[in-house]
């Protein structure tokens, strides 16, 4: 099956890999590189917090509200990540003017992780538009899943894994070496506080998931969320091979799906959608199917006479068999339309060829 | 039903069409004639695979004709459920196609005439639409003009 568009897993997986790679350097990082690590961590944690900022609060929520475990977990994690981001902000400011080493691989990994996570969040945003009240309104079939409890729980699990890894690494970085690990006091203390809040974010999610873990299917579906962007049109040419045509059909079907969703709000009953046209559709499908079966059976028979490869003969026979099952259904549909009318229509006659072959 | 019944049925409806002197009678007979054509064409779809497309399209045209008649203001009420006997299925294809072509030609001519003399625009439009459908049936079954004069 042709993959038409990027999916969230394309961003979450590499983001996790880059975070793991960065954390793999442990606390033994030169001080100049540490400064840039703090700056990148600041950006990364802000991005992670934004994911949870997008989680919708239950209606009428206050801090005293009793909400579901899922919602409470999301809110606790959101609060912890916001505080981690708040702690890192002065830390990043403290190292802003100091000499930095952005060539260290750990810095590059963090930057890449942030890039992937930001792109993943952008992908999720394509499924929503702003409503009249300014709130997000789903504009795709995936929007309902994205805002569901299982999806939120699965996303929390991903972010908790990142948070846990970053918390442990941040703790290492902030305590390595001298009193402030060679960093300005604000930077070291901010990093330490951020590590604390990241650990809380991770722990709150893990604790909740011990009671009620998201189903495995939610993780798979989360990773499979596609971008809600119609693939570009693929104009026909004279040189396409069968695989190109198959891909083109898939792309076109996807574009139709997007168009259907985009115009659903303006949908009106088409005056062209009436019993006459449906009857004609069934008629045309039955006739073309019937003719196709005759042609395919004729070709299969001829292939046998010419002793052409058995694979080709088998494909022809299979195709004939398939179409032979399809057209009788279309004929049955056409017969059903014999006695059904959606109203009075000015029937536009089928135009017959001027020289219709005689029946004999 | 025997082959003789089949021919008798199409002959009977043709006699009704030719004998209709008023618009309501013509419309009622035309309605039943289109139903005869539809049933007979549907029955022939399986029996004569080589003419599958022709019979299917003829049945479709018969539905078009019947639908056109249905909205004619002059059609007498109470047509729904009017029984039309199903013609026999044992006649040869040429004979059935010939009978359908003849019936289509009679329908076309009678309805074309009715379209010119009907008093109301609704009846005129209905008759014209139905006549067009009947012409298609005639063309499909005969592949050309058919003489609709009584024999």
């Amino acid at each position: 099956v042709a993959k038409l568009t990027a999916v969230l897993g394309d961003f979450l997986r590499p983001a996790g890999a880059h975070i793991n790679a960065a954390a793999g350097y442990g606390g033994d990082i030169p001080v100049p590189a540490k400064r840039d690590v703090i700056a990148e961590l600041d950006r990364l944690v802000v991005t992670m917090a934004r994911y949870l900022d997008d989680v919708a609060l239950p209606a009428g929520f206050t801090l005293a509200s009793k909400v579901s475990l899922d919602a409470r977990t999301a809110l606790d994690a959101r609060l912890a990540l916001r505080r981690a981001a708040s702690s890192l902000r002065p830390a990043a400011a403290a190292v802003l003017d100091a000499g930095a080493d952005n060539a260290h691989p750990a810095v590059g990994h963090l930057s890449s992780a942030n890039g992937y996570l930001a792109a993943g969040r952008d992908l999720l945003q394509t499924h929503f538009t702003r409503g009249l009240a300014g709130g997000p309104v789903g504009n795709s079939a995936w929007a309902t899943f994205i805002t569901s409890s299982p999806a939120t729980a699965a996303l929390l699990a991903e972010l908790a894994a990142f948070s846990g890894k970053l918390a442990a690494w941040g703790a290492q970085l902030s305590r390595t070496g001298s009193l402030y690990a060679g960093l300005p006091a604000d930077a070291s203390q901010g990093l330490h506080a951020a590590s604390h809040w990241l650990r809380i974010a991770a722990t709150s999610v893990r604790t909740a998931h011990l009671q009620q873990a998201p189903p495995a299917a939610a993780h798979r579906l989360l990773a499979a969320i596609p971008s809600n962007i119609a693939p570009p049109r693929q104009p026909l040419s004279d040189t396409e091979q069968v695989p190109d045509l198959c891909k083109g059909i898939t792309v076109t079907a996807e574009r139709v799906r997007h168009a259907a969703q985009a115009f659903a709000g303006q949908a009106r009953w088409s005056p062209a959608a009436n019993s006459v046209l449906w009857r004609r559709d069934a008629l045309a499908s039955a006739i073309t199917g019937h003719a196709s079966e005759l042609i395919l059976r004729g070709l299969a028979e001829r292939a046998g006479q010419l002793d052409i490869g058995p694979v080709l003969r088998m494909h022809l026979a299979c195709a004939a068999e398939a179409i032979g099952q399809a057209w009788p259904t279309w004929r049955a549909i056409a017969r059903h339309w014999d006695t059904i009318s959606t109203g009075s229509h000015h029937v536009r006659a089928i135009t017959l060829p001027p020289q219709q072959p005689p029946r004999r | 039903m025997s082959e003789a019944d089949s021919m008798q049925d199409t002959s009977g409806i043709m006699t009704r069409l030719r004998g209709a002197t008023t618009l309501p009678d013509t419309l009622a007979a035309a309605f039943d004639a289109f139903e005869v054509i539809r049933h007979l064409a549907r029955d022939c779809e399986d029996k004569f695979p080589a003419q599958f497309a022709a019979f299917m399209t003829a049945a479709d045209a018969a539905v078009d004709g019947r639908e056109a008649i249905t909205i004619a203001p002059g059609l007498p009420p109470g047509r729904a459920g009017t029984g039309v006997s199903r013609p026999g299925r044992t006649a040869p294809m040429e004979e059935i196609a010939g009978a359908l072509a003849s019936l289509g030609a009679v329908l076309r001519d009678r309805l074309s005439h009715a379209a010119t003399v009907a008093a109301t625009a609704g009846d005129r439009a209905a008759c014209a639409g139905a006549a067009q459908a009947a012409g298609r049936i005639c063309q499909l079954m005969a592949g050309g003009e058919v003489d609709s004069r009584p024999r």
Side-chain angles (χ1 to χ4, degrees), chain B residues 5 12-13 19-20 28 36 38-39 42 57 63 72 77 80 83 97 103 119 122 134 141 150-151:
Chain B
D5 292 332
I13 201 75
V36 167
R38 180 175 72 84
H39 282 294
R42 288 284 183 228
T57 311
V63 176
L103 185 50
M141 292 291 99
R151 278 169 282 191

Side-chain angles (χ1 to χ4, degrees), chain B residues 39-54:
Chain B
H39 282 294
L40 189 49
R42 288 284 183 228
D43 286 342
C44 291
E45 288 168 8
D46 282 332
K47 193 175 172 189
F48 308 113
Q51 295 298 322
F52 177 82

Side-chain angles (χ1 to χ4, degrees), chain B residues 37-107:
Chain B
I37 293 170
R38 180 175 72 84
H39 282 294
L40 189 49
R42 288 284 183 228
D43 286 342
C44 291
E45 288 168 8
D46 282 332
K47 193 175 172 189
F48 308 113
Q51 295 298 322
F52 177 82
F55 282 117
M56 267 212 84
T57 311
D60 184 77
V63 176
D64 282 347
R66 186 202 63 202
E67 291 294 290
I69 295 286
T70 304
I71 59 171
L75 180 69
R79 299 304 311 161
T82 301
V84 176
S85 62
R86 293 173 75 103
R89 306 175 192 182
T90 52
M93 191 270 287
E94 289 79 4
E95 196 167 343
I96 294 174
L100 290 178
S102 298
L103 185 50
V106 172
L107 268 170

Side-chain angles (χ1 to χ4, degrees), chain A residues 349 352, chain B residues 17 30 33-34 37 58 61-66 68 100-112 127-141 144:
Chain A
L352 296 172
Chain B
L17 273 170
F34 279 120
I37 293 170
V63 176
D64 282 347
R66 186 202 63 202
L100 290 178
S102 298
L103 185 50
V106 172
L107 268 170
R108 179 195 60 203
D109 294 349
R110 299 295 297 175
L111 288 167
S112 296
C127 289
Q132 197 178 34
R136 294 206 317 272
I137 293 166
C138 183
Q139 190 181 358
L140 282 161
M141 292 291 99

